[in-house]
Amino acid sequence: MNERAGSWLPKLQEVGERLAEEFVSARRPPATAGLPAPSELRASDADRERIAQVLQDAHADGRITLEELEERLGVLYSARTLGDLAGLTADLLPADQQPLNLDGRPVSAIFKQERRGGRWVVPAELTVTAMFGTTKLDLRDAILQNRRVVINATLVFGGLEIQVPEDLEVIRVAKDKTVRLNKQPTEPGAPVVEVRTTNFAGEVKVKEPPRRKRRR
């Protein structure tokens, strides 16, 4: 029986994702002790304002009533942690449009492109798998759980692209060899992202902001 062209790809992706999950589970590092979970990190005023804007938009277009808006705003401005904030918009937007993302699960791109960005918490250790695909991590507006983040990356004919803000250093460690991936200098003591790679024809790229012109 002839299968429709391309119908095999979703099946291949599913098999690849299962294999990647099994591989990741076998090599997953122990949880980092002594650090608060992403949901336990303290919320900032900027985070509260992001949530407030979503709530006000939801009231404006009739998704929540004035009474619901006032109730949620009361919770919002008394909230202390990111976990307290995240639930306030869970029923208002799809997962990929949430103003705050506390998803610390591994990121896998199997025959596709997978992206994580926006306002999200980067766990102290994150597992990334790219098999014939590309994983893009945008850290420009992210919250780092630790000042040194370790990314355990398995790249099989795949790529990892990391977009960084100013003064975030990225290094790659493979077979006891350490290479700095930033082209621009960073301040002493800047946060570090350490990419540990298991690599089969894979590539790690870093996208940096434009270099600022020095004042004369």
Side-chain angles (χ1 to χ4, degrees):
M1 183 173 64
N2 293 329
E3 292 194 42
R4 184 164 48 88
S7 63
W8 53 271
L9 186 55
K11 297 177 183 177
L12 191 57
Q13 288 177 336
E14 183 180 350
V15 171
E17 288 176 357
R18 284 206 306 266
L19 291 173
E21 288 175 2
E22 292 175 3
F23 182 72
V24 166
S25 297
R27 67 191 289 267
R28 179 169 294 147
T32 304
L35 293 175
S39 62
E40 296 172 346
L41 294 174
R42 289 283 181 154
S44 69
D45 288 339
D47 292 320
R48 293 187 181 89
E49 290 306 314
R50 290 170 187 270
I51 304 296
Q53 185 62 57
V54 173
L55 297 177
Q56 290 164 2
D57 290 345
H59 172 252
D61 62 22
R63 283 176 288 158
I64 58 175
T65 65
L66 178 59
E67 182 178 356
E68 287 175 313
L69 173 63
E70 292 175 346
E71 181 182 352
R72 295 194 192 200
L73 287 177
V75 175
L76 171 67
Y77 289 114
S78 63
R80 294 184 178 182
T81 66
L82 297 180
D84 295 334
L85 299 184
L88 293 173
T89 60
D91 60 345
L92 300 177
L93 292 172
D96 61 348
Q97 296 178 25
Q98 288 292 326
L100 187 60
N101 184 355
L102 305 183
D103 184 2
R105 293 177 299 175
V107 185
S108 298
I110 314 296
F111 288 94
K112 62 181 179 180
Q113 182 182 113
E114 194 69 30
R115 181 183 182 276
R116 190 167 293 179
R119 187 67 166 169
W120 65 294
V121 177
V122 185
E125 294 201 52
L126 177 66
T127 297
V128 169
T129 304
M131 298 175 65
F132 299 93
T134 302
T135 298
K136 295 188 175 184
L137 304 179
D138 188 344
L139 306 185
R140 291 174 297 174
D141 202 23
I143 304 168
L144 303 184
Q145 188 184 20
N146 196 32
R147 289 186 62 82
R148 190 177 190 91
V149 168
V150 175
I151 296 178
N152 296 294
T154 300
L155 309 176
V156 182
F157 294 96
L160 169 60
E161 182 181 293
I162 306 174
Q163 193 161 5
V164 299
E166 292 183 353
D167 287 330
L168 178 59
E169 187 172 16
V170 182
I171 61 175
R172 180 177 182 176
V173 180
K175 296 181 179 179
D176 298 325
K177 182 180 180 181
T178 300
V179 178
R180 185 178 185 274
L181 299 183
N182 300 71
K183 294 181 180 179
Q184 300 181 22
T186 53
E187 294 292 331
V192 176
V193 173
E194 178 183 323
V195 183
R196 300 176 183 173
T197 54
T198 300
N199 191 354
F200 301 94
E203 185 177 21
V204 180
K205 291 183 178 180
V206 172
K207 292 183 66 175
E208 301 176 83
R211 187 187 298 271
R212 287 186 299 180
K213 294 183 179 179
R214 293 183 179 180
R215 295 181 179 179
R216 295 182 177 179

